[in-house]
Amino acid sequence: MGHGPAVRRRKLGEELRKLRDRTGLTSGEAAGLVGWHQSKVSRIETGRSGVKPADVARLLEAYGVRDPQLRALLEALADSAGGAGVDWAHAYRGLLPTQYRDFISLESQARTARTLETSVVPGLLQTPSYARAVTRAALGGLPPDKVDSLVEVRIARQEVLRGDPPLVLSAVLDEAVLRRRVGGPAAMREQLRHLLELSALPHVRLQVIPFHYGGYVGLTGPFIIFSFPAISDLDVVVIDHLTSSLYLERREDLEAYSAAFLTVQALALSSEDSLDLIARTAREGPG
């Protein structure tokens, strides 16, 4: 387990070391090819030192890596390993906690996201009104302008669902998510209708676990699993706490949470029945 940039930095270093090993180069020989000291390559490969995307590109060139998808991913990882995040987030750096910037970096680079939510609609699926109500409730006492900025960030994050390729999202929601009147009845009805609209996207799958199922694995807390193109070793589980986020990267953790997600998917209503429940709740009113 670890903190976002440290995890990314170490994973990036491991991948660069594997690519160097495939070429048969020593770290000293690789350093000579790009005009560095051997210690710089070693620090990068062990995750002790950050690396700029341009430097990653130089190493990949030296290692003969031509795959454009792999090159783009590793160069993007260099951005996130340094805590840079996606471009639009720079304007909000002073407002966003470090763990939130880390999360945005992971989300913007992932190919798929699997999430279980037990209390609130996932951020990628929230309407502005719902996002504003959640932000006010979770971070009480913030001045209105900061609330507005955080809502803007949440809505900007949703661009990953419109990318090329888009993030593939599978979300399992507890029925409590549909019933909790966040922002009041009108805002909640709007949010439920928004879920129905987004479910029409081919890369968004929604399922609901109804109340009558009782207890189930994951009931005690939500989680999200990010998976990345080209490099499965980069997959990570993120668990949010009140003041921080926990990043799980060990294989046994990933296997346990992946199994848990498969379990809740099997317990949940089918996508069709889930959408029927959402539509019915929107008509009748939550609560």
Side-chain angles (χ1 to χ4, degrees):
M1 68 184 64
H3 191 264
V7 172
R8 302 292 95 186
R9 192 163 56 240
R10 187 163 62 253
K11 291 291 191 181
L12 174 60
E14 290 173 359
E15 189 62 25
L16 290 172
R17 178 185 54 76
K18 290 177 185 177
L19 292 171
R20 176 178 60 76
D21 285 345
R22 289 174 194 166
T23 68
L25 294 170
T26 67
S27 58
E29 289 168 340
L33 287 174
V34 294
W36 299 342
H37 192 279
Q38 185 270 341
S39 62
K40 179 173 180 177
V41 174
S42 295
R43 288 196 306 272
I44 290 171
E45 291 184 352
T46 56
R48 297 197 307 272
S49 174
V51 57
K52 297 177 181 178
D55 286 342
V56 169
R58 292 177 67 185
L59 288 173
L60 296 178
E61 194 66 31
Y63 301 158
V65 177
R66 298 289 181 264
D67 183 339
Q69 185 180 47
L70 179 57
R71 290 178 67 100
L73 174 61
L74 293 177
E75 290 172 26
L77 276 176
D79 260 342
S80 70
V86 290
D87 290 343
W88 57 260
H90 283 296
Y92 298 97
R93 283 183 65 87
L95 176 68
L96 302 180
T98 300
Q99 66 268 19
Y100 193 22
R101 296 201 305 270
D102 301 340
F103 183 88
I104 291 171
S105 291
L106 292 173
E107 187 177 69
S108 67
Q109 296 157 20
R111 182 68 184 91
T112 69
R114 292 166 285 167
T115 183
L116 169 69
E117 285 289 353
T118 57
S119 299
V120 297
V121 171
L124 292 180
L125 306 177
Q126 293 179 7
T127 64
S129 296
Y130 186 97
R132 182 168 286 102
V134 168
T135 302
R136 284 173 176 163
L139 301 171
L142 279 183
D145 61 325
K146 288 192 175 181
V147 171
D148 289 343
S149 294
L150 287 172
V151 172
E152 289 174 11
V153 168
R154 183 151 302 181
I155 301 307
R157 282 174 45 201
Q158 298 173 4
E159 286 300 313
V160 296
L161 295 177
R162 303 175 184 87
D164 183 19
L167 178 73
V168 177
L169 176 65
S170 296
V172 177
L173 313 179
D174 190 284
E175 187 175 350
V177 174
L178 312 182
R179 301 292 182 182
R180 191 181 305 279
R181 293 189 178 186
V182 176
M188 199 63 211
R189 279 193 297 272
E190 177 190 39
Q191 176 62 72
L192 294 176
R193 294 187 185 114
H194 187 60
L195 290 179
L196 295 173
E197 292 171 2
L198 291 176
S199 69
L201 297 174
H203 52 279
V204 174
R205 182 184 184 189
L206 300 181
Q207 290 179 265
V208 178
I209 299 181
F211 284 143
H212 67 72
Y213 280 156
Y216 58 88
V217 62
L219 179 63
T220 56
F223 61 86
I224 185 166
I225 307 169
F226 287 120
S227 296
F228 298 83
I231 309 174
S232 62
D233 285 348
L234 292 172
D235 293 1
V236 62
V237 178
V238 184
I239 303 171
D240 277 333
H241 298 294
L242 183 61
T243 59
S244 64
S245 295
L246 185 64
Y247 295 79
L248 305 178
E249 56 171 330
R250 297 185 308 169
R251 184 170 299 278
E252 52 265 44
D253 292 325
L254 289 164
E255 289 175 350
Y257 276 89
S258 293
F261 189 77
L262 286 174
T263 298
V264 297
Q265 274 192 315
L267 281 176
L269 299 173
S270 67
S271 295
E272 294 76 10
D273 289 343
S274 295
L275 297 180
D276 286 344
L277 177 57
I278 294 172
R280 188 166 64 252
T281 306
R283 289 194 305 270
E284 299 171 353

